[in-house]
Amino acid sequence: MDALSVAQRKLMPEMSELLKKRYQILQTINFEQPIGRRTLSEIAGATEREIRKETDLLRNQQLIEMKTAGMTVTSQGLEVLEKLKVFVREMSGLTDMEIQLQTILGISNVVILPQDSDEILAVKSHIGKEAARLLETLFGRYEKIAVTGGSTMAAISKELSIGKPNRALQFIAARGGLGEDVLHQANTIASAFAEKTGGSFKTLYLPDHLSAEAFEMMMKEPVIKEMMDLYDQTDVVVHGIGNAEEMAVRRHSSLEEVEKIRSGGAVSEAFGYYFDKDGKIVYRIRTAGIQLEQVQNASTILAVAGGGSKARAILSYFKNAPNPTVLVTDEGAARKIIELTKKLEEL
Amino acid sequence: MDALSVAQRKLMPEMSELLKKRYQILQTINFEQPIGRRTLSEIAGATEREIRKETDLLRNQQLIEMKTAGMTVTSQGLEVLEKLKVFVREMSGLTDMEIQLQTILGISNVVILPQDSDEILAVKSHIGKEAARLLETLFGRYEKIAVTGGSTMAAISKELSIGKPNRALQFIAARGGLGEDVLHQANTIASAFAEKTGGSFKTLYLPDHLSAEAFEMMMKEPVIKEMMDLYDQTDVVVHGIGNAEEMAVRRHSSLEEVEKIRSGGAVSEAFGYYFDKDGKIVYRIRTAGIQLEQVQNASTILAVAGGGSKARAILSYFKNAPNPTVLVTDEGAARKIIELTKKLEEL
DNA sequence: TTCAATGGGATAAAAAACGTCCAGCTAGAA
DNA sequence: TTCTAGCTGGACGTTTTTTATCCCATTGAA
């Protein structure tokens, strides 16, 4: 942020919010084009009237066009989007926050995207896109990639660009179906990743909640064993981070499980492990899947989670997270994390 | 104007006007401090409500302070003023317009100040200040400076800074009293310049409208002759440019004179000469004073005139203006001049 | 051909901005 | 010292803008 911009903001403080809002609208149109007012207002988290006011202005500025099919971004609009990209980041203080988060979480790489995915639907896509881009840079060096489930992971798969097929890539479902919605299961995600990139995928199907004996037995099965070997060889792990209670509910966990999770003070969840606020493992779902040690042996770990509501979970998970982890998150989560940390320090 | 600012303006077109307005208000406060809302609203050409809204904001931004004596600019405010100075110029397109005016008027140096002195009283002071600064840079090299009358010239005298006295400077009234208000007579201005700079001054008192014989006689008088010699030695001429009819009225010219001026199609006036739209001399007041040839022999000529209403007069005068002339004007006049020139080209 | 989604138009209600006063205070002039 | 001009902050009815929702003709895809 140069001196000129600082002075500008000082003289026109209302500019910041306005610029961010318009930029986000323009960005979303670019993302979803062609799109209409109503749909846009849902995705962008604004009222129809507001969208209308702003899009009318954007059209007058020849940044977008309105056709009967919907609104599209013009080449001028694209240019503006490109030129202001870094500026909007700087202005939102994202660069500063990234450095703060790196210190707080004890990892060397954090990427923060503008706005809050809790409030604005489109932000989840932006997170997905950013994670997808990051992941793609790894494709040359690494081949075995383990992926978990969740809506965030699904967002990444949607944003993977369909380039020239890379047959060498192998996507491995990190867990079996954990009672989740099929669309968001690790197996589904792995297959989606493979489809987009032209690689192959390996799925893991195993019923939940096996008895100890049955579990032992299954682990000796060749199909399962093969998966466990693959986990050992995993180069890259891509995973989401969940809120402990939310996950328990979503997975229709048994009363017994829920009790353990709750009494243990679980805050976050990742790979089927539940962590408390200090990062200690409180509970783990006893089923086949990647083990924490195996995750830690991976060359690169990509953690993806956004929204202010995920702040506590992110903080919890990163208490003991492997160092090479890269976190992709959003402004909402980042601000909340910083706020929580400050409060903690004050005590 | 860099690409970032262009993109910013594209996305926030309302920003330009707002920035200019706030900048101007801040600048005016800095100029006139301490100053109250009402006085400010008169000088700045805005309603009290508007001034109130903006000054409240400026205070919240800690750019100004409000005390019982009035509003003053803080150090932060000064900083913002300094940092945005060039930007506001660029944004208003003043730099571009300066180049355009240089071509249109056929001179090598034009300085344009923001806004229109017809609308905003404070702009006249800004013009005066800029002209004063320019003039001060010449003090080292030149000593004999001829000045004319008029409110613009008075504005310059007000803005001359009181530095260390320079006894060598000699300010010469370019004309006698031409029936104008005493405060705006060349004689008064010359004395004001001298007082501010510590130099000396020479005045010329001669009744208007002398008969031809009396005039001839007077020209032989030593006092008058001395002045005429001084005009020959003049290094620098500083003068305003007036609207022909306006000047005729202000000088209480005789019906005969007014008729000559009107029938001749006079548009502009300078040094008592009236020029038509092609720069041709239509009429000259027969009285002692600097002659056009003497003006042309000066090393530097500083023409100062602002406000949209002066546009035609400026265009007229510069049709045959001496080349080393520097013009100090404002945005209002500049825009109008460019507009008029464009219309002329279209025909 | 049907149908869902689009931009544009319209309107009543709510909110913000505006113009204009006044009261009370203070600093500097008389 | 008193007086006065000029200042800020508060108030309030009026005007203008913004907002929340409709509806409608059109269009492009299923």
Side-chain angles (χ1 to χ4, degrees):
Chain A
M1 185 78 60
D2 57 352
L4 178 67
S5 300
V6 171
Q8 224 173 300
R9 288 181 67 184
K10 198 83 188 171
L11 205 54
M12 305 198 296
E14 64 271 61
M15 184 191 78
S16 299
E17 282 311 306
L18 195 63
L19 181 65
K20 274 198 256 179
K21 188 170 66 184
R22 294 214 178 124
Y23 186 88
Q24 186 236 322
I25 290 173
L26 188 58
Q27 195 181 25
T28 308
I29 296 174
N30 185 40
F31 227 75
E32 311 275 346
Q33 60 186 318
I35 188 175
R37 280 200 310 255
R38 278 163 258 259
T39 326
L40 182 57
S41 77
E42 276 174 36
I43 296 177
T47 64
E48 190 197 325
R49 205 67 198 71
E50 195 171 12
I51 290 290
R52 188 165 186 170
K53 195 178 64 171
E54 300 300 348
T55 51
D56 279 355
L57 181 136
L58 292 178
R59 179 180 47 180
N60 283 337
Q61 294 298 108
Q62 288 155 21
L63 300 178
I64 62 172
E65 275 174 0
M66 284 175 174
K67 304 175 208 153
T68 56
M71 298 175 282
T72 50
V73 175
T74 65
S75 58
Q76 272 195 69
L78 270 177
E79 207 174 309
V80 166
L81 227 32
E82 182 57 35
K83 287 275 188 295
L84 290 181
K85 189 174 177 181
V86 178
F87 184 69
V88 170
R89 285 189 61 77
E90 283 288 329
M91 203 183 55
S92 308
L94 298 188
T95 311
D96 289 350
M97 278 201 288
E98 283 172 356
I99 294 165
Q100 282 186 66
L101 277 205
Q102 282 165 15
T103 311
I104 292 173
L105 303 178
I107 55 176
S108 53
N109 206 341
V110 173
V111 179
I112 303 175
L113 290 132
Q115 312 278 19
D116 189 325
S117 52
D118 285 351
E119 291 163 16
I120 300 169
L121 215 58
V123 176
K124 199 152 206 162
S125 305
H126 300 158
I127 294 177
K129 189 169 195 171
E130 184 62 31
R133 290 295 92 75
L134 277 174
L135 186 57
E136 281 163 359
T137 64
L138 302 173
F139 285 170
R141 272 175 293 166
Y142 305 114
E143 295 179 349
K144 293 195 165 48
I145 299 158
V147 299
T148 69
S151 64
T152 309
M153 294 299 299
I156 300 176
S157 74
K158 278 193 200 118
E159 300 302 335
L160 280 166
S161 61
I162 312 167
K164 53 173 191 285
N166 187 343
R167 302 206 163 276
L169 294 175
Q170 201 172 13
F171 294 94
I172 309 154
R175 311 292 302 186
L178 290 172
E180 288 179 278
D181 178 9
V182 179
L183 266 176
H184 293 154
Q185 275 184 22
N187 289 323
T188 318
I189 304 287
S191 101
F193 271 57
E195 193 187 340
K196 280 291 180 72
T197 57
S200 62
F201 66 99
K202 289 275 177 186
T203 52
L204 178 63
Y205 287 103
L206 208 64
D208 298 355
H209 314 300
L210 292 176
S211 67
E213 299 84 45
F215 184 71
E216 287 297 321
M217 187 87 88
M218 288 304 288
M219 291 305 276
K220 286 174 190 152
E221 281 293 307
V223 205
I224 306 296
K225 222 171 170 318
E226 187 196 352
M227 281 303 275
M228 297 314 271
D229 288 346
L230 273 176
Y231 291 148
D232 274 333
Q233 299 161 32
T234 294
D235 300 313
V236 178
V237 179
V238 187
H239 69 93
I241 300 170
N243 289 321
E245 295 209 13
E246 230 172 79
M247 291 307 289
V249 171
R250 194 183 305 165
R251 284 172 177 162
H252 309 293
S253 306
S254 67
L255 276 176
E256 185 191 352
E257 273 179 308
V258 171
E259 182 46 39
K260 271 190 183 167
I261 290 167
R262 195 161 287 169
S263 67
V267 178
S268 64
E269 185 278 344
F271 332 106
Y273 287 77
Y274 287 82
F275 306 88
D276 71 4
K277 67 177 169 53
D278 298 318
K280 233 177 58 206
I281 298 169
V282 170
Y283 179 73
R284 53 188 281 196
I285 296 179
R286 192 182 54 196
T287 181
I290 201 165
Q291 303 301 304
L292 205 51
E293 304 82 55
Q294 292 167 323
V295 171
Q296 281 157 354
N297 285 331
S299 307
T300 306
I301 307 166
L302 200 54
V304 187
S309 60
K310 288 275 182 80
R312 284 173 198 281
I314 294 171
L315 259 175
S316 149
Y317 171 72
F318 274 97
K319 287 286 174 183
N320 285 314
N323 190 289
T325 300
V326 176
L327 170 66
V328 179
T329 186
D330 62 22
E331 195 180 337
R335 286 196 191 284
K336 194 78 188 285
I337 288 170
I338 290 168
E339 183 194 326
L340 287 169
T341 309
K342 266 194 187 161
K343 272 188 188 162
L344 216 70
E345 276 171 3
E346 278 169 14
L347 297 178
Chain B
M1 183 81 60
D2 58 351
L4 177 66
S5 300
V6 172
Q8 223 174 300
R9 288 181 68 184
K10 197 84 189 170
L11 204 55
M12 303 197 298
E14 63 271 61
M15 183 191 79
S16 299
E17 281 311 306
L18 195 64
L19 182 64
K20 273 198 256 178
K21 188 170 64 183
R22 293 210 180 129
Y23 185 87
Q24 187 237 321
I25 290 173
L26 188 57
Q27 195 180 26
T28 307
I29 296 174
N30 186 41
F31 228 74
E32 311 276 345
Q33 62 188 318
I35 187 176
R37 280 200 310 259
R38 273 164 245 259
T39 325
L40 182 57
S41 77
E42 277 173 36
I43 296 177
T47 64
E48 191 196 325
R49 204 71 198 80
E50 195 171 14
I51 289 290
R52 189 165 186 170
K53 195 180 65 173
E54 300 302 348
T55 51
D56 279 356
L57 181 136
L58 292 178
R59 180 180 46 183
N60 282 338
Q61 293 299 108
Q62 288 154 18
L63 299 179
I64 62 172
E65 275 175 356
M66 284 175 174
K67 305 176 209 151
T68 55
M71 299 177 281
T72 49
V73 175
T74 65
S75 58
Q76 272 194 69
L78 270 177
E79 208 174 307
V80 166
L81 227 32
E82 182 58 34
K83 287 275 190 295
L84 290 182
K85 189 175 176 181
V86 177
F87 184 69
V88 169
R89 285 190 62 77
E90 282 288 327
M91 200 184 57
S92 308
L94 298 189
T95 311
D96 290 349
M97 280 201 288
E98 283 172 358
I99 293 164
Q100 283 186 66
L101 278 206
Q102 282 165 16
T103 311
I104 291 173
L105 303 179
I107 53 177
S108 53
N109 205 342
V110 173
V111 179
I112 303 175
L113 291 133
Q115 312 280 19
D116 188 325
S117 52
D118 284 352
E119 290 162 16
I120 300 167
L121 213 59
V123 176
K124 197 150 207 163
S125 304
H126 300 158
I127 293 178
K129 191 170 194 171
E130 184 61 32
R133 291 294 93 73
L134 276 173
L135 186 58
E136 281 163 359
T137 64
L138 300 173
F139 284 172
R141 270 175 294 163
Y142 304 115
E143 295 181 347
K144 292 196 163 49
I145 298 159
V147 299
T148 69
S151 65
T152 309
M153 293 298 298
I156 300 176
S157 74
K158 277 190 201 121
E159 300 302 336
L160 279 167
S161 61
I162 312 167
K164 55 174 190 283
N166 187 342
R167 302 207 162 274
L169 292 176
Q170 198 171 16
F171 294 94
I172 310 155
R175 312 292 301 186
L178 291 172
E180 287 178 279
D181 179 10
V182 178
L183 267 176
H184 293 154
Q185 277 185 21
N187 288 324
T188 318
I189 305 287
S191 102
F193 272 57
E195 193 186 342
K196 281 291 180 72
T197 58
S200 62
F201 66 98
K202 289 276 176 184
T203 53
L204 179 63
Y205 287 103
L206 209 62
D208 299 355
H209 315 300
L210 289 176
S211 66
E213 298 84 47
F215 184 71
E216 286 298 320
M217 188 86 90
M218 289 306 288
M219 292 305 277
K220 286 175 190 150
E221 280 292 306
V223 203
I224 307 296
K225 215 162 173 329
E226 186 196 353
M227 282 302 277
M228 297 315 271
D229 288 345
L230 274 177
Y231 291 148
D232 273 332
Q233 298 162 32
T234 295
D235 299 313
V236 178
V237 177
V238 187
H239 69 91
I241 299 171
N243 289 319
E245 296 208 14
E246 228 173 82
M247 291 308 287
V249 171
R250 193 181 307 163
R251 284 172 177 164
H252 311 293
S253 306
S254 67
L255 278 175
E256 186 191 352
E257 275 180 307
V258 170
E259 182 47 37
K260 272 189 183 169
I261 290 166
R262 195 162 285 168
S263 67
V267 178
S268 64
E269 185 278 344
F271 332 105
Y273 287 77
Y274 287 83
F275 305 88
D276 71 4
K277 67 178 169 52
D278 298 317
K280 230 175 64 207
I281 299 170
V282 171
Y283 178 75
R284 56 188 281 195
I285 296 181
R286 190 180 58 197
T287 181
I290 201 164
Q291 303 300 303
L292 204 52
E293 304 83 55
Q294 293 168 323
V295 172
Q296 281 158 354
N297 283 332
S299 306
T300 305
I301 307 167
L302 201 53
V304 187
S309 60
K310 286 274 182 81
R312 284 174 198 280
I314 294 171
L315 258 174
S316 149
Y317 172 72
F318 274 97
K319 288 287 174 182
N320 285 313
N323 190 290
T325 300
V326 177
L327 171 66
V328 178
T329 186
D330 62 23
E331 194 179 339
R335 285 196 191 284
K336 194 77 188 286
I337 288 171
I338 290 167
E339 184 193 323
L340 287 170
T341 308
K342 267 192 186 159
K343 273 189 187 163
L344 216 70
E345 277 172 2
E346 277 169 14
L347 298 179

